[in-house]
Amino acid sequence: ATWITFTTMLFFFSVFSCICCSASSVSAAFVSPSTSYLTARYRTSAGAQKVGGGGRKHDRLLRPSTRLKSDDGDDADENNSPPRAIGGELVSALARLDKKWELARADGGKKIGDWNILDLKGEDETSPEIVYLLEPTSGAVPSCVIFFLGGAVLGQFPHISYSVFLQRVAARMNASVLAIPYEVNLDHLGIAQRAVSRMKNAVIECEDSRGYPPELPKYAIGHSLGAKLHGIGIAATGMGEELSGVGFVSYNNFGFAETISMARSFAKELQVGNDSFGFGAGSTVPFDALFDLAGMAVSAVGLEFTPSPSEMDRIVKTKFDGELLKKTRMFQFEDDDLDSTKSFFECFEGDRETPSLSYLPGTHLTPVFLQFGLDDIPDEAKDVASQVTGGFKNASFGDEEALGLLVEEVSDWMLGRNPKDRRAARKQIAGTIDAEIEE
């Protein structure tokens, strides 16, 4: 099948198919904790399960199962929509590739490429609670830990969609990365609660089983919807006090209908210059009619995310105090119609303390760089990868130069350096290349 759906449905399906999901109360979740969140190890609720490990009793909170599924039919059930319903062809593709890759694991099912798989389910739980762990290739104790949440749809497979970005940042910082997958729906509060719970359990696992020192610096980095989810989690738990830094890349806080409307230009952008993946400029899709129809449908039924954009702004205003804002860095791309960085700053108009801001060349998808070399992919996954790449032995999606500048800026921020405007650097490089050609 042709993979043009990646271009047209990346955001359309990821949000429009969420109409079956229910919203939950926002205000009840934002209670200031009295104890440290990431380091607390006991569950205080009635009937709490205490799980042994490393001689300690562990706290496992808010952990309804979230299962990554393929469209082969064996993982779907009446309570879990198949991935085609949540993310369209893109999710189905990544799910198939992920599942085929799992079949090729040679070490007992614990790794995918450079990524370790942590299953954090409790002793009486059957559904996996997956977190992907990337550790320093040297085998040394990491210098810090990064909690990563990706954007809608792509964030369900962070070990594939964001692997290059995270590997390069991790290599520069000698960092470990804990990438938390999630399935997108309207209830962003619920997603954030589950994600933060997995972060906490993953930290406990790494300390107990891998010898991570508890005092390792910890950073939260999120892209697009992942940045909003981090913001919700930080506000609801107070874990910002334990973080050394909060990085929001292309922070997105659009409403449901607005997201579909803005995805029109986003999908058209994806269609240009990516022929190696089978969804290039030759593809013909009725963009305007498709998105107009989606926008009208959403407006008619009155759907909205939880929390809504206005609710999220109030949460940010209330919970992001001066100390937290000092740790927060926003990363904004030059050509990004899905970015809400401006509205985040407007929450603090008149305040002396605001987040720092890095300007970068690129688009909303700059952190996503997909690179497939079929010779490096396990035999069990080559058939699926070949479909993804349109039959090419090697193919890539994304702007590697813009990605490199993002990696540098994120690394500099983690090292305590001041933000830069790197848009000029991109233009300077282009000018130098043109001058050399003319000579």
Side-chain angles (χ1 to χ4, degrees):
T2 303
W3 288 74
I4 58 172
T5 315
F6 182 101
T7 64
T8 61
M9 301 300 183
L10 179 61
F11 275 84
F12 172 68
F13 275 119
S14 69
V15 293
F16 186 65
S17 62
C18 299
I19 58 175
C20 297
C21 301
S22 61
S24 59
S25 172
V26 177
S27 58
F30 296 92
V31 179
S32 298
S34 58
T35 59
S36 173
Y37 185 82
L38 290 175
T39 56
R41 289 175 173 269
Y42 292 92
R43 212 174 147 177
T44 57
S45 58
Q49 176 190 11
K50 295 182 179 179
V51 182
R56 301 171 182 173
K57 293 181 179 179
H58 290 170
D59 155 14
R60 301 197 178 263
L61 301 169
L62 302 171
R63 301 216 288 105
S65 63
T66 301
R67 182 113 183 240
L68 299 186
K69 301 179 284 292
S70 78
D71 64 350
D72 296 337
D74 52 39
D75 289 322
D77 58 46
E78 62 183 3
N79 296 319
N80 292 296
S81 301
R84 186 178 302 276
I86 306 179
E89 293 286 348
L90 172 59
V91 175
S92 296
L94 293 175
R96 287 200 302 272
L97 181 57
D98 182 51
K99 185 169 184 178
K100 293 289 186 180
W101 216 317
E102 286 184 31
L103 298 177
R105 295 177 198 158
D107 61 341
K110 299 297 184 182
K111 289 180 72 87
I112 296 181
D114 293 328
W115 290 88
N116 295 285
I117 301 168
L118 304 181
D119 188 351
L120 305 173
K121 68 176 180 289
E123 292 177 349
D124 61 348
E125 296 175 322
T126 57
S127 297
E129 292 290 311
I130 299 299
V131 169
Y132 296 103
L133 170 64
L134 181 68
E135 296 186 294
T137 55
S138 64
V141 175
S143 62
C144 61
V145 174
I146 297 170
F147 301 116
F148 181 78
L149 288 169
V153 181
L154 295 171
Q156 189 172 342
F157 305 92
H159 61 300
I160 299 175
S161 307
Y162 295 93
S163 186
V164 176
F165 167 58
L166 295 173
Q167 285 177 328
R168 293 184 183 182
V169 172
R172 280 174 169 261
M173 301 303 301
N174 188 45
S176 281
V177 179
L178 291 167
I180 297 87
Y182 67 90
E183 294 181 11
V184 68
N185 59 54
L186 288 177
D187 183 11
H188 294 172
L189 175 60
I191 298 172
Q193 288 176 323
R194 292 187 289 273
V196 174
S197 177
R198 289 195 193 188
M199 293 176 208
K200 177 178 180 177
N201 293 329
V203 167
I204 293 172
E205 176 69 19
C206 288
E207 290 177 2
D208 287 353
S209 302
R210 297 172 179 272
Y212 284 22
E215 63 273 12
L216 279 181
K218 298 173 179 65
Y219 295 83
I221 298 178
H223 172 234
S224 189
L225 174 58
K228 177 184 178 181
L229 297 176
H230 265 316
I232 295 170
I234 290 168
T237 65
M239 72 176 191
E241 296 180 3
E242 302 168 67
L243 296 173
S244 296
V246 178
F248 289 163
V249 182
S250 296
Y251 172 76
N252 181 277
N253 184 33
F254 283 1
F256 194 15
E258 188 180 15
T259 298
I260 292 178
S261 176
M262 294 305 296
R264 184 199 310 263
S265 60
F266 179 70
K268 288 182 177 179
E269 172 202 329
L270 280 172
Q271 195 179 26
V272 178
N274 293 289
D275 294 318
S276 63
F277 276 89
F279 48 79
S283 303
T284 57
V285 178
F287 287 106
D288 292 338
L290 177 67
F291 289 112
D292 286 345
L293 176 63
M296 287 188 292
V298 169
S299 298
V301 296
L303 294 173
E304 188 53 276
F305 297 125
T306 303
S308 68
S310 60
E311 289 171 336
M312 186 63 193
D313 285 344
R314 287 196 296 273
I315 290 167
V316 168
K317 290 177 183 178
T318 303
K319 296 295 182 178
F320 275 67
D321 59 19
E323 289 302 313
L324 182 55
L325 291 173
K326 289 178 182 178
K327 305 179 188 179
T328 302
R329 174 71 62 87
M330 313 294 289
F331 300 88
Q332 185 176 36
F333 296 107
E334 187 173 19
D335 188 15
D336 186 355
D337 291 334
L338 292 169
D339 183 273
S340 302
T341 298
K342 181 180 178 181
S343 66
F344 190 91
F345 273 86
E346 288 173 350
C347 292
F348 308 103
E349 285 184 346
D351 294 347
R352 287 186 295 177
E353 204 64 59
T354 58
S356 56
L357 174 61
S358 294
Y359 291 103
L360 294 151
T363 67
H364 197 75
L365 275 189
T366 291
V368 178
F369 187 78
L370 301 175
Q371 193 168 38
F372 291 95
L374 296 191
D375 292 338
D376 300 324
I377 293 176
D379 291 338
E380 291 87 343
K382 284 185 178 180
D383 57 338
V384 178
S386 180
Q387 295 174 35
V388 175
T389 61
F392 286 84
K393 290 185 176 180
N394 294 282
S396 63
F397 171 84
D399 185 335
E400 191 167 13
E401 182 184 327
L403 176 70
L405 293 174
L406 172 62
V407 169
E408 288 181 15
E409 189 67 9
V410 170
S411 302
D412 283 354
W413 160 65
M414 295 177 68
L415 291 170
R417 295 171 182 164
N418 292 327
K420 296 179 181 178
D421 184 344
R422 294 181 180 264
R423 294 171 296 184
R426 170 78 169 248
K427 294 174 182 176
Q428 184 176 5
I429 293 172
T432 301
I433 292 173
D434 290 342
E436 290 176 351
I437 293 174
E438 291 177 0
E439 292 176 0

